[in-house]
Amino acid sequence: MSGVEFSFAEAMAMIEDLMRVADDLLSAGDEVNAFLVDQVANQLLTRAFGSD
């Protein structure tokens, strides 16, 4: 089985999109789903750049 690879620009665009979705959900009053989407974006950042 082979993996899927994304360029840095593609990965950052996906993370930015997820962060935008989380912001939209939060502004619409959907705190739970905003938090969950934010957690996905944070996990992608951690996987891409390592943990602190």
Side-chain angles (χ1 to χ4, degrees), residues 25-51:
L25 287 168
L26 189 58
S27 67
D30 192 349
E31 292 89 7
V32 172
N33 284 321
F35 174 78
L36 294 173
V37 172
D38 188 57
Q39 290 300 305
V40 171
N42 287 336
Q43 184 64 32
L44 289 173
L45 285 169
T46 300
R47 287 184 180 178
F49 300 107
S51 61

Side-chain angles (χ1 to χ4, degrees), residues 10-31:
E10 290 170 322
M12 290 309 300
M14 286 185 275
I15 293 167
E16 288 172 3
D17 288 344
L18 285 170
M19 294 170 87
R20 199 169 307 118
V21 168
D23 286 343
D24 290 346
L25 287 168
L26 189 58
S27 67
D30 192 349
E31 292 89 7

